[in-house]
Amino acid sequence: MDLTLDVLAFCSEQQTDGDAITGTRYPVVIPDSGSNEAEKTFIKDDSAAIFDQVPLAGTTAGGQSGGATRYVFAIYFDGATAGIPYLEAWDDNTHATSAHNFLGGGTPANSSIIGITTTNAAPGSATWAGTPMAGAADRLELDTAALTAAKNLYFNIKQVVTNGTHTPGSTTALVITLRYLYS
């Protein structure tokens, strides 16, 4: 993945599958009170100049076709690992801090980036709660143990914003990192 060209984008219902990445991006509406799950999730990579919607991402609370779906995002390992693979959310690619407002502003439990592991089972609910992600201490385990052989690891991810989630004018991009030990 390329930090400037590969993108996971959480957007409002105004964003359309196939929109040009150089066009307007419609962010999730920040509510006056309560919370709001991103209505759509997109991936984009440097080989395409468009956003591709991930229709099964998130939960049914966000208005997507997500929910109790198991095979939304996959990471393939072609061999064993020395530890459990994790997904982590960071302020940037230095992996030094996770204090941005979108990651809970220093309180990881308030992170707007929430994931759930679906490697061994589907979520138990179409409106799954998941694990707030912020740094190494609050990360998503993608399996229950180190891998002993090649394996696909599955997960789902959503963004849930509250009226206190965003600092106006912020242009910080978050980094979702795959971390694992190997030998």
Side-chain angles (χ1 to χ4, degrees):
M1 290 196 54
D2 183 293
L3 290 172
T4 59
L5 299 175
D6 296 325
V7 175
L8 179 64
F10 302 100
C11 300
S12 75
E13 73 277 347
Q14 292 176 288
Q15 202 75 53
T16 304
D17 188 39
D19 280 351
I21 60 161
T22 55
T24 302
R25 185 177 299 176
Y26 298 98
V28 179
V29 175
I30 298 171
D32 292 331
S33 64
S35 63
N36 186 22
E37 183 177 326
E39 290 91 354
K40 295 182 179 179
T41 303
F42 296 89
I43 57 172
K44 178 263 165 211
D45 66 51
D46 57 342
S47 64
I50 60 171
F51 284 109
D52 287 320
Q53 187 175 359
V54 183
L56 297 178
T59 74
T60 56
Q64 301 188 85
S65 298
T69 51
R70 183 172 176 195
Y71 305 108
V72 181
F73 294 97
I75 298 174
Y76 176 71
F77 280 81
D78 64 359
T81 62
I84 298 172
Y86 296 92
L87 280 184
E88 301 172 348
W90 294 92
D91 291 341
D92 58 37
N93 65 346
T94 65
H95 301 97
T97 62
S98 58
H100 188 276
N101 259 357
F102 280 108
L103 297 178
T107 305
N110 294 336
S111 177
S112 72
I113 307 300
I114 300 169
I116 190 166
T117 302
T118 60
T119 298
N120 299 306
S125 165
T127 57
W128 50 266
T131 300
M133 297 168 53
D138 295 277
R139 59 192 182 180
L140 186 64
E141 290 184 352
L142 295 177
D143 208 350
T144 56
L147 305 182
T148 58
K151 186 175 185 178
N152 280 311
L153 303 180
Y154 300 100
F155 65 96
N156 199 341
I157 196 166
K158 64 183 177 179
Q159 181 184 39
V160 179
V161 296
T162 64
N163 60 338
T165 298
H166 181 64
T167 302
S170 173
T171 58
T172 302
L174 304 176
V175 173
I176 306 291
T177 298
L178 171 65
R179 189 178 304 263
Y180 62 96
L181 297 173
Y182 63 92
S183 56

